[in-house]
Amino acid sequence: DKVLTELIEPYELRVAKLREFLEDVKPSLRYDIVPLADPYGPSVTDPDLQCLVVSEETHRGGEAVNKKRLENGLPKLALYEILLMKDPDHSQNEEEKISSSSLRQRLLGTLLRPPRQDPTLPSRPYVIGLTGGTGSGKTAIAKLLGHLGAFLIDADKLGHAVYVPSGPAYEQVVAAFGAEILNEDGTINRKVLGAKVFGNQERLKSLTDIVWPEMARMVKEQIGEADAQG
C-alpha cells in the first residue's frame, strides 16, 4: 500500500543506493541484500540470523517474525529498536519521519521524462487524459486545468449523451438489447441495461463495441472544436 507506487524506484537502483550507503557507513562489514517476495523473507528461515533491527512502527512485525521462527523450530531473534529520523520540514499531509512516500508526493507534477515524440500526432492541441477511480481527484484536477485555460471534455457526460434518444448509439443499443431496456418516455434505462451486461463478458463487449467508437468520435469532434478556438 505504498503511496504513488508508480514512482517507486526500480529494485536494482534501490539496492545500489542501499549498498553504497552501507559501505560508506562501514566498508569492513559484509552485506547480503536480498529481495523480499513476502513480508518475512529469509528472517523466518535463516538459522544464522541473530538480530533484527526494527523501529517503533515495525516492532510488531519483528514479533511476528519471531513467532514464525518458533513455528519453524528456530530460535528467536533479538529485536533491536532504533528511532527513525524526523523530517523537520514535512508538510501536513506527509509523514513525520523521513520517508520515500513523502519524497514521491513531492514529485507530483514533476516531468520525469520528456513527452514521447509521435510524428503522427499534431503538435496542437496538446491532449491530456485524466483517468482514475472514484474519488481519485479527476474533477478537482480538471477544474484546475480549466482555470488555467484548458478546454475540458467530460467523458462521463459523453457517455450519457450517446444513450439519449437523439444520441448516436441509441438505435443500435435498443436494437441489440431490446425494447425492455426503455423507460415509458423512450429513454434508455441504464440500470436495466447494466443488469443485462453485468457479469456477461459477451454482452458487455457488444455494448462497448457500439458505445465506445461513438464516444471516441465525439471526443475527436470536441478536440477539433478546441483547436478551432485556439
Side-chain angles (χ1 to χ4, degrees):
D1 297 325
K2 285 286 185 182
V3 177
L4 302 173
T5 55
E6 295 83 359
L7 296 180
I8 293 179
E9 292 175 333
Y11 172 76
E12 292 75 15
L13 178 59
R14 300 179 84 187
V15 166
K17 286 184 175 182
L18 177 61
R19 187 177 297 281
E20 183 182 15
F21 169 74
L22 293 172
E23 289 176 350
D24 192 43
V25 172
K26 196 159 188 179
S28 61
L29 291 181
R30 191 190 81 190
Y31 300 104
D32 293 325
I33 303 174
V34 296
L36 298 182
D38 59 68
Y40 298 103
S43 66
V44 296
T45 56
D46 190 338
D48 295 327
L49 290 181
Q50 295 176 315
C51 175
L52 188 64
V53 179
V54 296
S55 66
E56 182 182 0
E57 66 180 43
T58 62
H59 200 284
R60 285 177 61 188
E63 292 172 348
V65 164
N66 276 335
K67 185 179 177 183
K68 283 277 188 184
R69 283 181 69 86
L70 289 176
E71 290 173 2
N72 292 339
L74 297 173
K76 281 186 174 183
L77 299 177
L79 300 183
Y80 182 76
E81 185 175 314
I82 58 169
L83 294 174
L84 295 177
M85 290 282 289
K86 297 289 183 182
D87 183 355
D89 301 317
H90 75 278
S91 63
Q92 194 172 2
N93 66 326
E94 293 177 335
E95 295 179 296
E96 287 188 359
K97 64 180 181 180
I98 293 178
S99 78
S100 57
S101 292
S102 295
L103 178 64
R104 291 197 295 279
Q105 283 190 324
R106 291 169 196 168
L107 282 173
L108 275 177
T110 303
L111 189 65
L112 298 179
R113 64 180 67 86
R116 178 173 53 86
Q117 296 298 318
D118 188 338
T120 65
L121 292 175
S123 59
R124 293 182 59 190
Y126 193 78
V127 182
I128 301 171
L130 286 178
T131 67
T134 303
S136 61
K138 299 187 298 294
T139 302
I141 296 297
K143 283 181 179 176
L144 184 62
L145 290 171
H147 290 317
L148 294 172
F151 183 101
L152 299 181
I153 300 171
D154 190 329
D156 285 341
K157 290 179 180 176
L158 295 184
H160 286 276
V162 295
Y163 287 106
V164 299
S166 58
Y170 176 83
E171 291 186 4
Q172 293 181 72
V173 172
V174 174
F177 293 93
E180 62 265 28
I181 66 170
L182 297 178
N183 294 312
E184 290 184 5
D185 61 359
T187 57
I188 291 176
N189 186 318
R190 290 167 66 92
K191 283 187 177 180
V192 174
L193 177 60
K196 277 181 169 285
V197 301
F198 183 76
N200 187 316
Q201 291 297 319
E202 193 174 328
R203 283 186 175 181
L204 180 61
K205 186 178 186 306
S206 297
L207 180 61
T208 55
D209 284 350
I210 296 170
V211 172
W212 285 357
E214 295 298 341
M215 285 179 64
R217 184 181 57 77
M218 293 168 80
V219 167
K220 287 176 182 175
E221 285 179 0
Q222 291 204 7
I223 290 174
E225 186 182 332
D227 193 24
Q229 291 183 17

